[in-house]
Amino acid sequence: MLCEECGKRPAEVLMTAVVGGQSTTKNLCRECLKKYKAGDLQAVLAAVLSAMADKKQAPEITCPSCGETYAEFQKSGMLGCAECYQAFRQELAPLITRVQGRAQHAGRRPPVSEEEQARQSRIEELRGLMEAAVADENFEEAARLRDELRAMTPAKEGKA
Amino acid sequence: MSDIVVSSRVRLARNYEDIPFRGKISAAQAEECVQRTLDALRDLPQAYSFLPLRGMEENEKKALVEAHLISPDLMEHEENGAVLLRDDEKAAIMMNEEDHLRIQGFAAGENLKTAADSAFFIEDTLQKHLSFAFDPQWGYLTACPTNTGTGLRASVMLHLPMLTLLKQMGKVNQLAAKLGLTLRGIYGEGSEAQGNLYQLSNQVTLGRTEQEIIQAVTATARQMAEMERVFRERAWEKDSVAFEDQLFRSYGLLANARRMPIKEFMAHWSNLRLGAAMGKLPVSLSACDEMLTAAQPAHVRKATGKALTDPETDACRSRIIRSAIAGA
């Protein structure tokens, strides 16, 4: 049997990698085993990807922005652009959780732009006005404000 | 300067949201990536030098890799790879590496916080003008999903001669793995860590804050350093004459040899630093650490200014080492 990693040298070791609570087994040659032993997360990702690729056909998705296909990603472990994360979101989610052990970012975030700050404070203002309109039983005005608010909140925030 | 932790480094992986990653980037886009970075960093308070890899002499590139200022990966992507290097070598921004930007901060000894602050300062400066690819769930987006989240890798270089000699590295490796960290030899290939130098760094980048990652690496490095110190003391108590004999033999060789091949140097250098760290040899830790880089092959070549055949390189290396020891 040939090494499942490089496909060149004979496999000598059966490796079990436990990532995110799930185990993946792979037949490896000694050279490729070294990479895993060094704790190379990219090598682990490659193992998970190829194990998944064996199980089922790669979903036929193409990133609309850069043209990368999911099959290409499965082969290289590299995404084509930031938009790929959206295009392959469903497929990437379990994979990222498995390799990283966690699913939600913690830590630094980009600074909020002035535009965004203005948008946020306008949303708060509209909410206040809407509540006041409801309290005044001015339902026509409240409905108008509600629609304006909806138009300002993109789908992005819908998940939260 | 520290007896066991040689140096600290932090790198941040960042990408521009409107430019494709390396696999899909065009030459013009790669150029744009460099240009906008340079424009945004024009007002940095420290002096920097811009070094594009294309057209750079091969030895110059290797010297940058030896000094750990750029990665071997960047060296292989010379078409559009570049580095903006702080003149005091405490920070460097690699461009068109695996990610658009790899922002790096460096510090001597065990000081990840200082290294991180240097990197964050550069990131903050960039973010005043530009925005990076960011996802509320997955954080800063990177070409490979294994770096997403903080995009941060914190690493320290550890000198662990006694743990290596007494075959404790298996245990030390397990300690690292249990905490989601990884330990690998810095010099040399495969399992052999030349100079007994190791790099300890975090593997996982998502779901932990920058501070958590830095604290985990720092705490583990301290634990390993403490283990190393215990083994040093025990060895000294067991047979101080044998211990000293080893140290002074290496010192004598490095201070007197007229030809010093790199592999031999790395082995004796480890004893030299061990002796310096324990206050047993008349050499300073800073002299040891400077010598380590200065004696690497591309640095030796650079010092002579011409391509040397190997025995001449070894002769030149011995001169560099001797003058470093004499100066200390």
Side-chain angles (χ1 to χ4, degrees):
Chain A
M1 173 175 208
L2 284 178
C3 168
E4 291 179 69
E5 178 79 15
C6 61
K8 290 175 203 153
R9 292 173 287 263
E12 297 177 63
V13 198
L14 179 70
M15 185 217 50
T16 309
V18 182
V19 186
Q22 291 185 54
S23 68
T24 306
T25 54
K26 219 172 175 195
N27 289 289
L28 294 176
C29 67
R30 299 210 177 270
E31 274 310 298
C32 293
L33 181 71
K34 275 186 201 161
K35 285 196 295 182
Y36 288 91
K37 280 210 168 149
D40 189 338
L41 215 54
Q42 289 199 6
V44 176
L45 172 71
V48 176
L49 275 173
S50 76
M52 285 179 164
D54 289 346
K55 266 189 233 156
K56 54 178 183 187
Q57 211 63 28
E60 281 177 37
I61 323 170
T62 304
C63 170
S65 181
C66 70
E68 169 131 328
T69 63
Y70 191 74
E72 276 180 88
F73 166 67
Q74 269 190 326
K75 227 183 216 169
S76 68
M78 294 287 165
L79 293 159
C81 68
E83 200 51 39
C84 288
Y85 278 92
Q86 299 308 326
F88 307 149
R89 194 161 198 105
Q90 261 193 312
E91 287 69 28
L92 282 176
L95 192 70
I96 290 177
T97 309
R98 204 166 155 186
V99 172
Q100 293 269 7
R102 305 225 177 148
Q104 176 59 51
H105 172 61
R108 284 164 72 92
R109 294 172 162 268
V112 179
S113 68
E114 276 177 40
E115 240 172 84
E116 181 59 22
Q117 268 175 10
R119 196 180 73 89
Q120 296 284 0
S121 62
R122 176 72 182 144
I123 287 174
E124 268 170 46
E125 187 188 357
L126 286 174
R127 277 199 187 124
L129 287 172
M130 187 172 74
E131 276 163 27
V134 171
D136 290 348
E137 296 186 11
N138 186 349
F139 297 115
E140 226 171 284
E141 176 67 1
R144 193 191 65 74
L145 289 164
R146 182 203 58 205
D147 292 344
E148 197 179 332
L149 256 172
R150 271 193 192 153
M152 285 190 73
T153 4
K156 240 187 187 176
E157 290 197 359
K159 272 194 309 147
Chain B
M1 219 54 60
S2 128
D3 58 343
I4 288 156
V5 185
V6 178
S7 59
S8 304
R9 56 178 46 237
V10 164
R11 76 110 225 262
L12 300 172
R14 294 291 183 265
N15 289 280
Y16 295 118
E17 51 192 356
D18 58 334
I19 298 180
F21 299 152
R22 182 154 86 187
K24 299 281 179 191
I25 201 167
S26 71
Q29 285 167 322
E31 180 56 33
E32 161 68 16
C33 174
V34 171
Q35 271 318 316
R36 69 165 71 162
T37 308
L38 292 180
D39 285 346
L41 292 178
R42 196 172 292 154
D43 298 326
L44 280 173
Q46 303 89 353
Y48 277 81
S49 302
F50 175 62
L51 310 168
L53 266 78
R54 190 171 32 200
M56 191 188 285
E57 239 185 272
E58 203 57 28
N59 194 61
E60 196 64 33
K61 283 182 247 171
K62 284 185 185 154
L64 287 169
V65 173
E66 282 177 359
H68 304 291
L69 296 169
I70 67 168
S71 60
D73 179 281
L74 187 71
M75 191 172 93
E76 281 161 25
H77 289 82
E78 58 163 22
E79 336 63 80
N80 41 38
V83 61
L84 186 64
L85 177 62
R86 209 165 104 178
D87 288 354
D88 63 4
E89 300 191 346
K90 293 294 178 205
I93 302 107
M94 289 192 275
M95 298 171 224
N96 293 317
E97 216 249 21
E98 185 180 299
D99 294 297
H100 294 152
L101 302 181
R102 289 276 172 104
I103 305 167
Q104 311 178 92
F106 312 110
E110 183 229 273
N111 205 340
L112 281 172
K113 185 164 183 315
T114 301
D117 286 345
S118 300
F120 291 147
F121 180 79
I122 295 165
E123 190 201 18
D124 287 339
T125 309
L126 283 163
Q127 287 191 138
K128 274 183 206 154
H129 309 276
L130 304 160
S131 54
F132 295 125
F134 182 86
D135 181 272
Q137 185 186 358
W138 290 329
Y140 287 97
L141 300 176
T142 49
C144 181
T146 52
N147 292 316
T148 192
T150 56
L152 180 141
R153 177 135 300 140
S155 50
V156 289
M157 193 197 282
L158 298 159
H159 182 224
L160 306 173
M162 292 314 282
L163 291 175
T164 310
L165 181 73
L166 298 168
K167 310 223 179 302
Q168 300 296 310
M169 289 315 292
K171 252 189 234 169
V172 177
N173 263 310
Q174 280 173 6
L175 174 71
K178 223 192 287 173
L179 295 159
L181 307 178
T182 162
L183 190 73
R184 62 185 88 185
I186 296 183
Y187 295 93
E189 276 160 28
S191 55
E192 183 192 27
Q194 281 181 28
N196 300 317
L197 287 163
Y198 300 86
Q199 177 180 288
L200 175 72
S201 58
N202 63 301
Q203 265 185 290
V204 169
T205 50
L206 182 73
R208 284 103 174 138
T209 65
E210 290 80 2
Q211 287 72 23
E212 284 170 341
I213 295 171
I214 287 169
Q215 271 165 17
V217 176
T218 303
T220 311
R222 284 184 187 166
Q223 213 175 329
M224 290 177 181
E226 202 39 53
M227 287 165 73
E228 168 71 20
R229 274 187 211 110
V230 168
F231 278 93
R232 287 180 185 186
E233 279 159 27
R234 265 193 224 159
W236 181 261
E237 280 163 21
K238 202 175 156 201
D239 192 343
S240 64
V241 177
F243 198 127
E244 239 178 349
D245 183 58
Q246 285 302 315
L247 301 182
F248 275 93
R249 275 169 188 273
S250 289
Y251 176 76
L253 248 160
L254 292 175
N256 294 290
R258 261 42 184 179
R259 265 186 193 164
M260 184 52 69
I262 182 70
K263 239 182 145 165
E264 192 181 348
F265 165 72
M266 292 301 286
H268 292 295
W269 176 88
S270 181
N271 280 339
L272 189 75
R273 196 181 198 281
L274 176 61
M278 294 179 74
K280 308 292 181 197
L281 291 177
V283 195
S284 72
L285 277 176
S286 59
C288 286
D289 294 351
E290 278 161 32
M291 180 197 309
L292 175 66
T293 308
Q296 296 303 315
H299 277 76
V300 172
R301 260 170 214 205
K302 204 173 150 185
T304 62
K306 48 189 167 197
L308 297 175
T309 55
D310 278 358
E312 284 172 85
T313 310
D314 293 348
C316 179
R317 177 174 298 112
S318 77
R319 282 195 295 277
I320 291 170
I321 297 164
R322 275 182 281 135
S323 77
I325 291 180

